[in-house]
Amino acid sequence: MVPNEDLDMLLEMNQKGFDFFYNLPVNRRDKASISYDFRLKRKDTGSEILVNQKLTPLILTDTGNIWFALCLVSLSVAEKSGNVFITFNDKDERFDYDFLRKQFKPTIIKHLSKREKDVLHLMIKGNSACEMSQKLFISEETVKFHKRNIIKKLNVKSAMEAVYVATINKLV
């Protein structure tokens, strides 16, 4: 079950997301994905879990309507519901949903350096700072420096969230 406040958010995001989608040129629609976080609540215990859902159209009709889409649901590393954004698989474009203005707005994507991508790739594989330093032939302090830069550039709070954001945004 979805809590009422998250259900309201999902209804708003759904309306605005489809408005955004159907205002795209038809040839861009199959390149867009929308990602958002919301809570699920167990009926029996009342406990909640935060999940991320990502929807990607795979096949469109001749008129550009969604005929077949992929829906991925995973645990979210965010702290709260929302975090709604649209990305494109052919360009470095991202549009974040602004709940106050009730619209999607373009967001600047900060690019990672080659070395930051190397560190992030090893983070995704679960390597420790010590293992990364040995594989990249740099000191552990330099690994930590790159991790701090990655966290800052991706505007996240932890290495785990950086891995998540980098993965869903195809940064590595």
Side-chain angles (χ1 to χ4, degrees), residues 116-138:
E116 289 165 345
K117 287 181 181 180
D118 293 341
V119 169
L120 189 55
H121 186 71
L122 292 173
M123 288 167 57
I124 290 169
K125 290 184 172 186
N127 287 265
S128 68
C130 178
E131 292 167 327
M132 287 186 252
S133 72
Q134 291 170 355
K135 290 178 181 180
L136 298 173
F137 305 104
I138 57 177

Side-chain angles (χ1 to χ4, degrees), residues 39-103:
R39 294 173 296 155
L40 293 175
K41 187 174 186 175
R42 288 183 56 152
K43 281 186 176 183
D44 56 348
T45 64
S47 64
E48 295 180 347
I49 186 168
L50 189 64
V51 296
N52 173 267
Q53 183 162 326
K54 182 175 181 179
L55 294 169
T56 304
L58 297 178
I59 301 173
L60 302 177
T61 65
D62 291 339
T63 57
N65 293 320
I66 298 172
W67 184 74
F68 190 72
L70 178 65
C71 174
L72 298 173
V73 178
S74 60
L75 294 176
S76 174
V77 295
E79 294 179 3
K80 60 182 175 125
S81 299
N83 311 306
V84 181
F85 60 88
I86 294 173
T87 56
F88 292 85
N89 66 11
D90 65 338
K91 286 187 177 179
D92 284 343
E93 283 185 299
R94 177 176 160 146
F95 294 83
D96 289 354
Y97 187 68
D98 182 334
F99 282 96
L100 294 175
R101 293 189 175 104
K102 309 245 184 250
Q103 65 184 13

Side-chain angles (χ1 to χ4, degrees), residues 28-42:
R28 298 276 296 137
R29 292 180 188 170
D30 64 344
K31 301 182 180 44
S33 292
I34 188 166
S35 176
Y36 48 91
D37 297 314
F38 64 97
R39 294 173 296 155
L40 293 175
K41 187 174 186 175
R42 288 183 56 152

